[in-house]
Amino acid sequence: MYTRQNQKNLTAAQRKRFVAAVLELKRDGTYDRFVRTHDRYFVPDDDDGLRVGHMSPSFFPWHRRYLLDFEEALRAVDPTVSVPYWDWTTDRSPADPLWGEDFMGGTGQGPERKVATGPFAHASGNWPITVGITEAPFLTRNLGRPHNPITLPTAAELQTALDDPVYDMSPWDSTASAGGFRNKLEGWAAPRSERWRNHNKVHQWIGGHMTGGTAPNDPVFWLHHAFVDLIWDRWQARHPGSGYLPDAPLDRWDRQRGRVLTREDPMPPWGIPPSSQLGHAGVYRYEV
Ligand code: CU
Ligand code: CU
């Protein structure tokens, strides 16, 4: 069992080892395979296909398993490394050490929003983008979206998701404005005035690659999703009588039948059911 630390508590030496392991996976081609996998499972509501990673109940178990695979690859490079988490309700500024030269690097610069500082700057030579939404070979960001400002989700906004005792609800997509923890935390169930909430709002606040299917091109993706994973733990602790839904096959006439995963359906690409990912005891723990 290993620990996932809050990123703000990493020592300079730990930051360095994390970055070095990430760069090694990039160098040997492993990293870009992860980016491609995420992009493949970025299927929106209006598509007829199976939605496993996003806009669906398996958002949490899919990303838990995906992070575990990535972390396993990191730990094969350096067994002292794990994925840190970023609590965006407390570390909210582009000036935060998270975005420092020795860690994630800073915001994008110029009209192209090119990340130009830190280990993932294009000029470092170590971070060519090969699986992008555009041809641009460099990582892009636009922290806080200065021309049309957006703020990171607040603790109160996160709490509205945590307070919902129902895991998810029909139609199991991005449109259930009535709620459900999954949709409120993934961040589609937003008031019209805001559009984005919680998890989605963080992707938008970072901008650039983080707003699309190839979001894991930005290494901060892993730190964001480790916190999302921790939030799922918090929700389970707060609502011990609630569990993953749907927990039975959908009715024949249900338009979502075959498009979302019930508790025991095999989850691609692993073929394991959501029920296998409901906890992580014995594998890792979160530093609180
Ligand atoms: Cu994702
Ligand atoms: Cu995400």
Side-chain angles (χ1 to χ4, degrees), residues 38 54 59 63 199-200 203 221 224-225:
H38 188 269
H54 308 90
F59 170 73
H63 283 88
H199 154 270
N200 283 339
H203 280 272
F221 172 92
H224 171 34
H225 270 275

Side-chain angles (χ1 to χ4, degrees), residues 33 37 61 69 72 83 108 122 153 160 178-179 242 253 264 267-268 276:
R33 283 198 293 279
T37 297
D69 279 3
E72 198 178 305
V83 177
H122 189 250
T160 61
S242 303
W253 46 263
E264 305 301 335
M267 182 168 69
S276 69

Side-chain angles (χ1 to χ4, degrees), residues 82-125:
S82 61
V83 177
Y85 69 87
W86 165 35
D87 181 345
W88 25 256
T89 68
T90 58
D91 303 311
R92 306 173 57 76
S93 161
D96 191 90
L98 169 65
W99 307 105
E101 289 271 357
D102 69 337
F103 204 16
M104 294 295 117
T107 192
Q109 297 177 12
E112 295 178 301
R113 314 283 183 216
K114 181 178 184 173
V115 170
T117 56
F120 310 106
H122 189 250
S124 73

Side-chain angles (χ1 to χ4, degrees), residues 4-45:
R4 289 184 179 173
Q5 288 178 273
N6 187 323
Q7 59 83 20
K8 75 176 176 193
N9 297 332
L10 295 187
T11 63
Q14 286 176 315
R15 282 200 293 270
K16 194 171 181 176
R17 295 187 79 138
F18 176 76
V19 167
V22 169
L23 292 179
E24 174 56 21
L25 294 184
K26 181 71 168 179
R27 193 198 60 75
D28 75 9
T30 305
Y31 196 95
D32 287 349
R33 283 198 293 279
F34 277 95
V35 179
R36 240 175 265 119
T37 297
H38 188 269
D39 196 36
R40 187 164 359 116
Y41 290 99
F42 201 74
V43 175
D45 279 350

Side-chain angles (χ1 to χ4, degrees), residues 214-228:
T214 65
N217 273 312
D218 193 330
V220 81
F221 172 92
W222 309 103
L223 284 69
H224 171 34
H225 270 275
F227 188 53
V228 167

